[in-house]
Amino acid sequence: QARTYKDYGLNDKTDPGRRLFFPQDDNALDLYLQVLQVDPQNAEAQQGLSEIAGWVYDRAFRLCHEMNRWVACRLLAENGLRAEPSHEGLRELVDDAQRGERGETVAPRAKR
């Protein structure tokens, strides 16, 4: 089910992101995390979470550095960090968004 939700959320052009994070406990992210609780080395779950984090990074980057939509960027990037907590690009976007929310000037970044 996680794979189905992930594939739909990453690839559907009319409803991008659907079922990646919501509804709670019945979405790709939560289902993959449940798999890893049982089998921490599960390659498919690890790969699925990495794909979700990459998708999130692309969209959050656009929200931050092309649209200056700081709150939306931060919220999306924080969801991405749930998928891949060590994703440096997502961590940077959360920091950028927080600065933008405070009204600070945010230097443009090159996309990773």
Side-chain angles (χ1 to χ4, degrees):
Q1 190 62 54
R3 183 182 329 115
T4 300
Y5 289 161
K6 176 198 56 120
D7 289 345
Y8 183 82
L10 298 183
N11 299 309
D12 189 84
K13 301 299 182 204
T14 60
D15 201 6
R18 182 172 176 85
R19 298 306 287 250
L20 292 181
F21 309 109
F22 302 102
Q24 186 175 355
D25 296 326
D26 190 27
N27 61 72
L29 176 69
D30 288 339
L31 292 173
Y32 279 134
L33 291 173
Q34 288 174 23
V35 169
L36 290 178
Q37 285 179 345
V38 175
D39 179 8
Q41 302 305 315
N42 186 288
E44 183 177 350
Q46 291 172 347
Q47 179 63 34
L49 290 171
S50 181
E51 289 175 37
I52 291 170
W55 183 90
V56 167
Y57 176 77
D58 288 342
R59 276 131 195 94
F61 184 90
R62 205 171 320 131
L63 287 167
C64 272
H65 291 288
E66 295 175 16
M67 303 170 76
N68 297 331
R69 294 188 55 203
W70 306 117
V71 173
C73 172
R74 179 181 50 79
L75 292 172
L76 187 57
E78 287 172 347
N79 267 322
L81 285 171
R82 289 183 53 222
E84 194 172 320
S86 64
H87 194 292
E88 192 59 37
L90 287 170
R91 289 180 178 282
E92 290 172 351
L93 291 178
V94 169
D95 290 341
D96 289 349
Q98 288 172 336
R99 285 198 311 279
E101 287 179 78
R102 291 191 300 265
E104 298 174 21
T105 300
V106 178
R109 286 189 186 275
K111 193 171 182 185
R112 289 180 173 250

